[in-house]
Amino acid sequence: MKTLIKLESVSKHFGNFRALSNINLQVDEGEVLSVIGPSGSGKSTMIRCINLLEQYDSSGSIIVDNKLVKKGKALREVRANIGMVFQNFNLFPHMTILDNVTLAPMRTGGLSDADAKKRAHALLEEVGILDQADKYPDQLSGGQQQRVAIARALAMEPKAMLFDEPTSALDPEMVGEVLNVIKNLADRGVTMIVVTHEMGFARQVSDKVVFMDSGQIVESGTPSEIFDSAKESRTRDFLKSVLSHEAYTNKR
Amino acid sequence: MSYLKLISKFFLISIVALLSIAQSYGQDSDNQVISVGANIGNVPWEFQDTKGQLIGFEIDLVHKIASQLGKEVDIVNIPFSGLFSAVQSNRIDIAISSITITDERLKSVSFAQPYYDSDQSLTIRSDSSVKTVDDLRGKIVAVDTGSTGDIWTSENQQKYGFKEIRRYEGITPAVLDLEIGRTDGYISDIPAMQYYTKDKPNLEVIERIKTGGSYSMMFSKHNELAVEVNEVITSLKRAGYINDLHEKWFGTRAEASTSTAKTTAMPGSKEGVILNFVDTFLNKEVLLTTLPMLMLGLKTTIQLGFISIVLGLILGLALALLRLYAPYVVGFLAKAYIDIFRSIPLLVLLIIIFYALPFVGINLSPFYAAATALVIVSGAYTAEIFRAGIEAIPKGQFEASQALGLSYRHMMIDVVLPQAVKIVIPPLTNNSINVIKDTALASVVAMPDLLKQATQAQAIAANPTPLIAAAGIYLALLLPLVLYVSHLEKKYRLREYA
Ligand SMILES: Nc1ncnc2c1ncn2[C@@H]1O[C@H](COP(=O)(O)OP(=O)(O)OP(=O)(O)O)[C@@H](O)[C@H]1O
Ligand SMILES: [Mg+2]
């Protein structure tokens, strides 16, 4: 199977603070990778390095689709090949839902107006909000906005998708609709890295789970290797604390 | 409509209030001290010696007259074109500045009997090819705003084919531009120019222009002081005192037939009407005759304002982008530019551009000098407005654009700037209002904008109506913009809370 994303001894410093140290990671085509770990452990920083929203230290390297991710002319192409979905949606508030989705394909994908619209319609249909196409972002619920953001990222037909806690900013009743959309993408075979606090979801959709702490990958494995028989005590402690919390919220 | 009525009513009431305050001031000090307005620098009539002491023919005369009346003198420096409103509003009791008695002026002010017979003169650079007024065809002529020279030059513009008349507020700036070569001749009172050019070999008074004016002191209409002063002048002439002054300041005695030596009657007031408030400040006749001049000024003001606003916007946007995103050195330079030009008063910058740059070979016309100064300063302000607008755009908008692979250009054009524009429209409109108001400063570089035209018109008509009309025009121009800003601000506030 082809390797799509590869991180080799990637580190990242913010000034003197070391946010990532020596990360090695590999995602194959069609693979779904979940990243879990406590707050501040470097999950966001890691996936933001993949499309160079953060510049990683020069000691390491990141390869996407056989191309080194670095500043320069080729960067835009690499970025267009990786869709990203943010915790806070980051939709363009001055554009309609449809325009949000068609902008990038028309400006950088070289699609005609009509083709971009056709593609946008199909994607909005897939995420279930075609009927909202002419509205503005602030007229939609959080769950709907995040689904638009997913459609917007997919519109560039990326080779992989990055999700940074896509449901953390949502009201609990909207989490399910967004997770469902992501799950359908996974079923369709879209390669993705998902940073998430939803352990049930991670277990259900992932091919591989990575646990991070203090800027390091502590442990990685299949969902059952991590959730049922973690080798590291840090992993077990973390899972215990979130699962008891989840149990508590579910009981309510 | 009723709104406009309300505004004009408010405007009127404010003027009345201000006027009565001004009047009461004037009258309070009336008893012991005579307040005298003079355009200081008008040699040899009223100017400062090297020690800063006020001296001159008319300074000597007014002190002598006051002492005869048992009063003190307080001298206030007022530009020539401001003297007319100053006496009419009783801010000063007497105006001196070699003021020519004209029938037009006698309609709204009083004069004592004349004490000097004058003509106009043409002054040129000694190396100039101009030798007579006829040589000024197609050339630029300098005058003092609203002076006899201004009136004569305006009336004869067609006849002699002057290309343009530049209007200045006094000898110094007018002569400066003549020396630089911005103007080709300066038409002004002959005694002043003869005295001024005495020790300046680069200037030459080459022609007397017979306008036959006589100078005297000016008062508000029907002012009793005018009669008292007139009587003192009669006795001073009989005693030979005024001719002594002539000898002191011009080196020779005046002929017996001139008004310096011979007593004459006090000039009668014209049309004998007592000018009430409306006739003085809202004189329909004056308004109608000066309106074409004001419209010309309005056109200049609008052209200057429009060009300065548009270029200032472009410059400001470029500076803001440089400051935010350019490499360190360029960004620093942009910031330095913005900080410096927000600190320099526009008037200072304008004077530097107009009067100092010619010495390094950059010689801009009044219009371009004013536009340059306005664009430079407006660019600095709009840069800050754009920067604040761009910085108000959340970081996530930039990141989402980058993650989609948008180019820098498309990120700015499609995502960032459209959002920033909404934020910056109200402050940008405010800035545009300021730019239009600041165009009035261009009158100091002899540019015929609305204010300048109004000043000239009121000096010629000796009536402040054109100034009031100009205020009304500015109001009509700017009030809609002001209301538009409030409307926008309200609208965006509502949307935020929606
Ligand atoms: N721009 C930055 N400058 C300095 N420090 C930063 C910056 N961004 C992140 N950090 C630090 O790097 C560490 C990792 O942050 P990161 O956001 O990657 O954590 P995370 O695992 O995503 O946490 P969370 O679950 O809260 O999102 C944190 O200690 C954070 O404070
Ligand atoms: Mg994070």
Side-chain angles (χ1 to χ4, degrees), chain A residues 185-202:
Chain A
L185 293 178
D187 293 345
R188 206 178 85 184
V190 176
T191 312
M192 56 177 98
I193 301 180
V194 187
V195 175
T196 185
H197 287 300
E198 302 289 336
M199 296 305 151
F201 170 79

Side-chain angles (χ1 to χ4, degrees), chain A residues 48 76 91-92 94 107-108, chain B residues 397 399 402-403 405 410 414:
Chain A
R48 287 162 59 83
R76 276 177 51 208
L91 292 180
F92 305 134
H94 60 298
R107 291 289 185 266
T108 44
Chain B
Q397 294 290 308
E399 292 186 343
Q402 286 166 344
H410 281 129
D414 290 322

